[in-house]
Amino acid sequence: MSYDQDTEVTYLRKNPRKSELKTNQAINQARRSGQDVETSKKYGAGGNKKTATDKNTAKLDRETEELHHDRVPLEVGKLIQRGRQDKEMTQKDLATRINEKPQVINDYEAGRAIPNQQVLAKIERVIGMKLRGKEKGQPLQPKGKKK
């Protein structure tokens, strides 16, 4: 290869990616070549570790009350079962009539369900018996025209 005066040799090199600049190898290479290397330690880096306890944590530790959802009383479950059997319906029939799954009726009768007022109202209308309030077990009065 012969070079004359007007020829200049240029080497093209791709710039390294940010992730490549963070490796130990890249940092050591920059130090060897005399480039400035800036390092800083980030406060709280490395996750969301929380070693100190705060007021809320201590308050929760002192709390002894067990928090849980209220369940349908077994008395209501027995009323649903009695009303359903008086109408000669299975759990599946009742569930179909109120547009719910049979498991919902099973949970209500066993006292495992969390009470839902809309579901209870649907069951009341189908079996014709009050399940809420002071008059539990009483026949449901059909809605009449107000005078």
Side-chain angles (χ1 to χ4, degrees):
M1 263 174 127
S2 68
Y3 295 107
D4 60 338
Q5 281 179 299
D6 298 330
T7 306
E8 184 178 323
V9 177
T10 307
Y11 294 102
L12 298 177
R13 189 170 166 220
K14 216 166 61 170
N15 288 334
R17 290 187 225 130
K18 284 185 178 183
S19 61
E20 292 172 355
L21 291 175
K22 294 178 183 178
T23 63
N24 283 339
Q25 182 182 6
I27 292 170
N28 290 335
Q29 184 179 2
R31 286 180 179 152
R32 282 193 298 270
S33 66
Q35 295 177 355
D36 291 333
V37 177
E38 181 181 332
T39 58
S40 60
K41 182 163 177 70
K42 293 183 180 179
Y43 175 76
N48 56 357
K49 295 178 193 170
K50 192 171 185 183
T51 55
T53 59
D54 57 358
K55 294 177 192 175
N56 291 335
T57 307
K59 187 176 179 182
L60 284 172
D61 287 341
R62 286 192 307 269
E63 187 66 45
T64 58
E65 181 181 349
E66 287 187 38
L67 302 175
H68 61 280
H69 292 288
D70 292 333
R71 304 278 185 222
V72 174
L74 203 55
E75 166 193 3
V76 173
K78 297 292 181 193
L79 289 173
I80 293 171
Q81 193 173 19
R82 191 177 77 204
R84 177 177 60 77
Q85 289 171 345
D86 288 347
K87 300 265 184 175
E88 297 179 3
M89 299 172 78
T90 63
Q91 287 182 346
K92 185 176 180 181
D93 294 337
L94 179 58
T96 304
R97 293 275 306 271
I98 65 167
N99 293 324
E100 295 288 341
K101 295 180 179 177
Q103 184 63 39
V104 172
I105 303 301
N106 190 332
D107 288 344
Y108 271 86
E109 287 184 3
R112 291 188 302 261
I114 297 170
N116 182 337
Q117 297 305 317
Q118 291 175 328
V119 173
L120 284 172
K122 289 181 197 177
I123 295 172
E124 281 179 344
R125 274 179 286 188
V126 171
I127 65 174
M129 184 186 301
K130 283 201 171 249
L131 301 173
R132 303 172 290 175
K134 294 179 182 176
E135 300 140 7
K136 289 180 187 173
Q138 299 297 320
L140 188 65
Q141 300 297 326
K143 283 192 174 182
K145 293 182 180 176
K146 293 183 180 178
K147 293 182 183 178

